[in-house]
């Protein structure tokens, strides 16, 4: 993974070299065999349940079929033509997912940095705040979705509408309003995960050596300058991690959308993973179309992950 | 020059400055507490709704605390046509089975990757890393087809076996095994301990905290999982609690009985919250560490 390991490998020194060199060829064979037996179960499970499905979905995307006969008819690239040029619903799902991702990203990054700065001092109240902000992250996303659906209830007894009533604002339809629904889902998900990201930023803030701040203080640098010139660059590896994790998480969003709006009203909150779900087994002979959409999703995620590995290399380089 | 002026400045206004600071701190703390209350409010609302009668749950304006504290919601969801116990049993079996299977598979793999040297180990570890990035939304179609071909859809296996190898756990445990001082392993070998003994009686006990962390991650993931059981099951008999709550909502047809839905959520959320209360510091540290790596 890291440069240091790679260097070690290049020089060919491994702690096991010594005992390996003392073995007879027979003993060495048995040593290797034992090693393979140890990793075999893990590798077998991973090959069957993740690597093979990754390859198989590409194959499926070239066929028309259903759950019973997935490879009924070879259609080449027709499924891709369908989702990009014939049907309008895939591009709509892609657009909704992109909107969700960008909005969640902007709000989450700003909020998690603010929360982290806010909780930075070693105080009892800040320990409590960490625990409180983190709690929703551990709770099932579908429970969070249900609780917020209840808060968003469009009747006058809905909690948010009650609060609006105090402010003399007419009740809103929230999740039943196609212009508001997506933002309502975004608000819920930000609430759910912001504590997790804030804690990552917080850990990163605490790893910044104090001397740097002291030096800045001696120079009489204003607080905003300290933040943009010192703090922000120092936590940039973690911000990068956030960028990647939020993107991957957002492209996969499913649970909250399905519970809160089920893609509606209209198609205003239908996202990619929902699209794949709808087409895979819920309709007739559209497994290929779902697979093509899955391949597109996979390509996006691979691209993002590769960026991530690039980022990690950079991080090691700077250390 | 500049500095000396500044110091003089602060010295002159020290008293008023301190007072201001204190006032600012109190105001800041009050605001912080307010935000914290907002954060936990949804859970508070879930709990109070779960103990309200139906007529109170749709009262205008809503009541903050149940006027008539009732356990009827729990009674009625337990007695309705859908069997709470069956779903709870499935959740528990699947979660425990996943954790046990993962642990059995993870230990030797992480040990071999961390300690031993064998041809192709980098390539094989690459497979572990690839498995990181394949989301369930991609793999489920093929996995469903496989289990359906084997006529195993009507069982709990499709919810257990696909999670047998925990790529993240193998990665984390390998990192930890690597930190074991080499001398310990070598001196054990000199005492002619078998590799099995070294792994089980030296390496594993030393890395127990890491293994508990991994098990906890698995518990939360599996207990909370919704997408996977939704797509892998056709029959209520094999569905976990998360799908039970969805069913509660679906069953109520037009007028959803939110008090009952919240009672169901209460049952799903409580085990996780209890674990969090007992180990919040450890859990937060584990997640923070995970993000820093």
């Amino acid at each position: 993974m890291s440069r240091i390991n790679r260097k070690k490998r290049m020089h060919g020194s491994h702690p096991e070299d010594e005992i390996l060199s003392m073995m007879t060829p027979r003993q060495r064979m048995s040593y290797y065999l034992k090693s393979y037996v140890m990793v075999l179960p893990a590798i077998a499970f991973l090959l069957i349940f993740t690597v093979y499905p990754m390859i198989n979905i590409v194959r499926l995307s070239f066929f028309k079929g259903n759950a019973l006969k997935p490879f009924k008819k070879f259609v080449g690239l027709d499924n891709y033509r369908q989702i990009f040029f014939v049907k309008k619903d895939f591009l709509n799902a892609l657009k909704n997912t992109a909107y969700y991702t960008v909005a969640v990203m902007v709000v989450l990054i700003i909020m998690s940095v603010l929360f982290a700065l806010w909780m930075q001092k070693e105080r009892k109240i800040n320990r409590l705040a960490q625990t409180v902000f983190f709690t929703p992250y551990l709770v099932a996303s579908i429970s969070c979705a249900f609780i917020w659906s209840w808060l968003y209830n469009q009747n006058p007894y809905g909690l948010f509408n009650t609060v609006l009533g105090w402010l003399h604002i007419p009740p809103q339809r929230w999740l039943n309003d196609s212009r508001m629904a997506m933002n309502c889902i975004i608000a819920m998900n930000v609430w759910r995960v912001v504590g997790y990201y804030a804690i990552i930023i917080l850990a990163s803030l605490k790893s910044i050596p104090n001397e740097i701040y002291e030096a800045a203080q001696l120079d009489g640098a204003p607080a905003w300058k300290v933040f943009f010139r010192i703090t922000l660059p120092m936590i940039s590896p973690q911000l990068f991690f956030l960028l990647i994790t939020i993107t991957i998480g957002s492209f996969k969003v499913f649970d909250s959308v399905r519970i809160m709006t089920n893609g509606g009203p209209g198609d205003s909150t239908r996202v990619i993973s929902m699209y794949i779900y709808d087409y895979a087994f819920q309709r007739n002979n559209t497994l290929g179309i779902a697979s093509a959409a899955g391949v597109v999703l996979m390509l996006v995620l691979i691209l993002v992950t590769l960026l991530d590995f690039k980022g990690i290399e950079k991080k090691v380089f700077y250390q | 020059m500049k500095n000396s002026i500044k110091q003089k400045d602060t010295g002159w206004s020290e008293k008023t400055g301190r007072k201001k600071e204190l006032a600012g701190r109190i105001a800041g703390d009050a605001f912080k507490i307010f935000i914290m209350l907002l954060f936990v409010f949804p859970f508070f609302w879930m709990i109070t709704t779960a103990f309200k009668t139906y007529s109170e749950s749709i009262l205008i304006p809503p009541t903050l605390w149940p006027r008539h504290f009732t356990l009827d919601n729990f009674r009625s969801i337990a007695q309705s046509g859908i069997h709470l116990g069956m779903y709870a049993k499935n959740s528990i079996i699947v979660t425990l089975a996943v954790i046990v299977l993962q642990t059995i598979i993870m230990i030797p793999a992480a040990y071999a990757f961390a300690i031993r040297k064998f041809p192709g180990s980098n390539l094989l570890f690459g497979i572990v890393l690839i498995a990181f990035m394949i989301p369930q939304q991609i793999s489920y179609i093929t996995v469903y087809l496989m289990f359906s071909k084997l006529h195993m859809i009507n069982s709990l296996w499709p919810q257990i076996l696909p999670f047998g190898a925990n790529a993240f756990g193998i990665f984390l445990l390998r990192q930890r095994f690597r930190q074991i001082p080499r001398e310990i392993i070598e001196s054990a070998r000199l005492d002619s301990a078998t590799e099995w003994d070294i792994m089980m009686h030296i390496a594993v006990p030393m890395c127990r905290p890491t293994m508990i962390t991994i098990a906890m991650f698995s518990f939360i993931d599996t207990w909370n999982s919704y997408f996977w059981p939704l797509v892998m099951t056709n029959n209520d008999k094999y569905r976990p609690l998360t799908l039970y709550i969805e069913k509660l909502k679906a069953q109520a047809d037009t007028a959803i009985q939110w008090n009952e839905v919240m009672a169901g959520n209460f049952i799903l959320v409580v085990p996780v919250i209890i674990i969090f209360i007992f180990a919040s510091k450890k859990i937060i540290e584990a997640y923070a560490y995970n993000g820093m790596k």
Side-chain angles (χ1 to χ4, degrees):
Chain A
M1 272 290 277
S2 72
R3 251 153 221 258
I4 304 158
N5 288 338
R6 215 173 286 160
K7 217 179 236 170
K8 243 187 210 165
R9 229 182 290 138
M10 271 195 303
H11 290 296
S13 76
H14 189 282
E16 295 284 275
D17 282 342
E18 210 185 315
I19 62 158
L20 277 167
S21 65
M22 289 190 295
M23 287 178 184
T24 62
R26 243 196 120 124
Q27 280 174 320
R28 201 176 299 167
M29 277 311 280
S30 115
Y31 174 94
Y32 287 151
L33 203 67
K34 238 189 227 167
S35 309
Y36 290 127
V37 170
M38 289 169 96
V39 297
L40 183 74
I43 296 298
F45 271 88
L46 290 176
L47 284 178
I48 295 170
F49 293 113
T50 46
V51 177
Y52 168 67
M54 182 179 84
I55 298 161
N56 195 48
I57 197 171
V58 177
R59 198 159 64 110
L60 279 166
S61 74
F62 299 131
F63 287 84
K64 188 175 177 158
N66 55 34
L68 290 173
K69 279 191 189 147
F71 300 104
K72 211 150 86 177
K73 192 179 159 215
F74 182 80
V75 293
L77 289 169
D78 191 58
N79 289 323
Y80 292 93
R81 196 179 64 93
Q82 291 281 337
I83 61 171
F84 279 114
F85 303 110
V86 182
K87 295 164 165 294
K88 293 269 173 346
D89 52 354
F90 179 71
L91 290 179
N92 176 56
L94 209 58
K95 197 190 79 196
N96 287 339
T97 309
Y99 175 79
Y100 175 90
T101 306
V102 172
V104 165
M105 175 92 69
V106 172
V107 179
L108 261 185
I109 286 193
I110 293 173
M111 272 184 76
S112 53
V113 172
L114 285 179
F115 273 46
L117 288 171
W118 208 27
M119 301 188 292
Q120 203 178 357
K121 276 204 188 114
E122 275 298 339
R123 289 177 59 202
K124 255 194 190 135
I125 189 170
N126 289 338
R127 280 223 158 270
L128 181 69
Q130 285 177 40
T131 313
V132 167
F133 295 147
F134 192 74
T135 309
Y137 187 74
L138 294 179
V139 171
S141 52
I142 78 143
S143 284
C144 295
F146 269 121
I147 295 167
W148 279 64
S149 303
W150 173 222
L151 298 175
Y152 281 132
N153 192 298
Q154 59 169 333
N155 294 305
Y157 54 79
L159 189 91
F160 284 162
N161 277 339
T162 307
V163 174
L164 288 187
W166 295 339
L167 305 169
H168 302 286
I169 299 170
Q172 299 292 315
R173 299 183 60 223
W174 305 107
L175 294 168
N176 291 304
D177 182 337
S178 60
R179 281 163 310 153
M180 278 176 92
M182 189 56 111
N183 290 335
C184 291
I185 296 174
I186 288 167
M188 189 288 280
N189 275 311
V190 167
W191 166 78
R192 197 170 71 80
V193 300
V194 68
Y196 168 62
Y197 292 115
I199 275 162
I200 289 171
I201 298 290
L202 185 65
S204 166
L205 284 177
K206 284 191 173 161
S207 69
I208 301 176
N210 240 340
E211 295 86 59
I212 300 183
Y213 284 124
E214 278 160 16
Q217 217 164 26
L218 277 180
D219 288 344
W224 63 268
K225 216 171 188 175
V226 173
F227 176 75
F228 283 104
R229 294 280 167 80
I230 299 175
T231 314
L232 217 49
M234 291 297 274
I235 61 171
S236 62
Q238 270 62 47
L239 286 178
F240 193 74
F241 170 84
L242 253 66
L243 219 72
I244 301 295
T245 327
I246 295 170
T247 314
I248 291 177
S250 300
F251 264 89
K252 297 189 298 191
V253 66
F254 179 88
D255 299 8
S256 51
V257 180
R258 181 165 152 96
I259 298 295
M260 292 170 84
T261 61
N262 204 4
D267 272 334
S268 59
T269 56
R270 203 166 297 277
V271 288
I272 292 187
S273 56
M274 194 126 217
Y275 181 91
I276 298 172
Y277 173 78
D278 285 342
Y279 275 86
F281 300 122
Q282 314 293 319
R283 304 179 187 204
N284 277 331
N285 294 325
T286 54
L287 188 59
I289 287 184
S291 304
V295 171
V296 174
L297 171 65
M298 189 165 72
L299 289 179
V300 172
L301 294 181
I302 289 177
L303 211 76
V304 174
T305 313
L306 286 180
L307 273 176
D308 184 25
F309 277 119
K310 270 240 159 81
I312 288 175
E313 256 173 37
K314 231 184 203 164
K315 202 162 86 185
V316 172
F317 184 70
Y318 283 130
Q319 261 169 4
Chain B
M1 238 344 236
K2 228 178 174 182
N3 266 335
S4 68
I5 290 171
K6 263 218 151 139
Q7 264 163 13
K8 222 181 188 176
D9 225 50
T10 46
W12 177 72
S13 61
E14 202 169 307
K15 230 178 180 177
T16 46
R18 254 191 213 156
K19 246 184 202 167
K20 251 186 193 165
E21 206 176 275
L22 190 70
R25 186 190 259 195
I26 290 172
D29 283 0
F31 184 60
K32 208 173 270 182
I33 290 169
F34 174 71
I35 297 288
M36 280 193 245
L37 289 176
L38 277 187
F39 249 76
V40 291
F41 188 81
F43 294 121
F44 171 79
W45 201 236
M46 168 192 85
I47 295 166
T48 53
T49 308
F51 294 104
K52 281 178 184 173
T53 60
Y54 176 68
S55 55
E56 193 181 346
S57 74
I58 56 165
L59 215 60
I60 306 171
T63 49
L64 204 57
W65 192 254
R67 263 181 227 164
H68 304 285
F69 198 82
T70 175
L71 287 170
D72 282 351
N73 300 324
F74 294 93
R75 221 167 282 141
S76 99
I77 60 173
Q79 283 165 358
S80 71
I82 33 185
H83 307 291
L84 172 66
M86 183 185 77
Y87 290 88
K89 199 184 80 195
N90 290 340
S91 269
I92 292 167
I93 293 176
V94 168
T95 307
L96 286 180
V98 165
I99 292 175
V100 170
L101 185 64
Q102 279 183 356
T103 309
I104 294 172
I105 289 176
M106 179 174 68
I107 292 171
Y111 183 85
F113 281 129
I115 308 288
R116 295 164 76 91
K117 187 191 179 191
F118 52 98
S121 66
N122 290 320
L123 180 82
L124 292 176
F125 195 66
I127 292 176
V128 177
L129 293 180
I130 286 176
F132 259 142
M133 56 185 200
I134 307 301
Q136 298 179 354
Q137 280 82 349
I138 302 289
S139 62
Y140 90 91
I141 293 177
T142 303
V143 175
Y144 179 89
L145 294 175
M146 287 192 305
F147 278 110
S148 129
K149 217 176 210 172
L150 296 170
H151 302 287
M152 278 165 79
I153 285 297
N154 278 325
S155 72
L156 293 176
W157 291 114
Q159 293 174 62
I160 299 167
L161 290 179
F163 302 99
N166 176 357
F168 168 71
I170 294 171
F171 182 79
L172 219 63
L173 192 60
R174 166 182 169 268
Q175 300 290 87
R176 181 64 190 86
F177 277 158
R178 277 188 160 185
Q179 291 166 10
I180 297 174
R182 208 65 212 189
E183 298 81 51
I184 296 181
I185 292 166
E186 259 138 46
S187 65
R189 277 182 182 157
L190 283 179
D191 288 343
S192 66
T194 63
E195 205 71 3
W196 172 263
D197 283 333
I198 298 172
M199 184 172 83
M200 294 311 288
H201 301 303
I202 296 171
V204 168
M206 283 178 79
C207 306
R208 199 165 278 151
T210 308
M211 296 187 47
I212 292 172
T213 305
I214 295 168
M216 183 206 72
F217 280 124
S218 297
F219 169 80
I220 290 167
D221 279 354
T222 316
W223 184 264
N224 289 344
S225 72
Y226 167 75
F227 176 76
W228 195 264
L230 173 74
V231 295
M232 281 299 149
T233 55
N234 300 325
N235 189 329
D236 284 347
K237 249 165 94 183
Y238 306 104
R239 294 190 154 168
L241 273 175
T242 42
L243 284 147
Y244 164 78
I245 294 159
E246 196 195 19
K247 184 125 188 175
L248 275 183
K249 187 188 165 197
Q251 201 197 30
D253 282 322
T254 42
I256 298 169
Q257 300 238 349
W258 281 104
N259 50 337
E260 290 188 0
V261 175
M262 289 301 126
N265 272 303
F266 184 81
I267 296 167
L268 182 71
V269 171
V270 161
V272 175
I273 298 279
I274 288 177
I275 291 181
F276 189 51
I277 288 171
F278 279 107
S280 61
K281 207 180 149 200
K282 275 254 158 63
I283 289 174
I284 288 177
E285 268 168 17
Y287 276 93
Y289 170 81
N290 181 12
M292 292 292 282
K293 274 286 115 182

